[in-house]
C-alpha cells in the first residue's frame, strides 16, 4: 500500500501518520523516535513529563521543563532525521 506524503511547510513525512501525545509516561522519546524513524510524525506528550524527576513535587514547572528538553533531545537523536512534535496541553 502506498501513501501520499504529508507536507507541512518544509517538513515531509513519508507516511501520513501522526502518533499522538498519549499522556503521562506513554508518549516519550522512545515511542516518538520509533514512529519518526518509520516515516511518520512522532509526538511527545508534555503532560507531567517531569514526573520522574527527583524534584518534581517541590518544583514541578522546573522539573517538567527540564524533562521535556531531555525527551526532545533524545527523540531527535534517535529519530534518524524524522519529524518530532510535542503535544502541549
Amino acid at each position: 500500500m502506498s501513501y501520499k506524503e504529508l507536507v507541512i511547510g518544509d517538513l515531509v513525512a513519508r507516511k501520513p501518520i501522526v502518533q499522538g501525545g498519549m499522556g503521562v509516561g506513554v508518549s516519550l522519546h522512545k515511542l516518538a523516535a520509533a514512529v519518526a524513524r518509520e516515516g511518520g510524525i512522532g509526538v511527545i506528550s508534555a503532560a507531567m513529563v517531569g514526573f520522574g524527576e527527583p524534584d518534581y513535587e517541590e518544583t514541578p514547572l522546573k522539573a517538567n521543563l527540564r524533562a521535556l528538553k531531555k525527551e526532545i533531545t533524545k527523540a531527535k537523536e534517535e529519530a534518524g532525521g524524522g519529524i518530532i512534535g510535542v503535544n502541549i496541553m
Side-chain angles (χ1 to χ4, degrees):
M1 178 179 262
S2 64
Y3 298 98
K4 185 177 177 184
E5 292 179 332
L6 176 61
V7 179
I8 304 170
D10 294 337
L11 302 174
V12 178
R14 295 186 321 272
K15 297 179 183 168
I17 297 169
V18 179
Q19 163 260 318
M22 298 180 285
V24 181
V26 177
S27 293
L28 298 175
H29 75 275
K30 289 183 182 184
L31 178 58
V35 171
R37 275 194 309 274
E38 295 302 318
I41 299 173
V43 180
I44 296 168
S45 172
M48 296 175 36
V49 69
F51 70 92
E53 295 290 311
D55 60 336
Y56 181 74
E57 293 294 324
E58 295 81 30
T59 56
L61 178 59
K62 281 184 168 182
N64 282 326
L65 291 173
R66 184 175 57 253
L68 183 57
K69 183 176 180 178
K70 288 179 191 177
E71 291 296 324
I72 293 169
T73 299
K74 289 177 188 177
K76 285 182 173 182
E77 289 171 356
E78 296 177 18
I83 302 170
I84 299 294
V86 178
N87 180 6
I88 301 173
M89 298 178 209

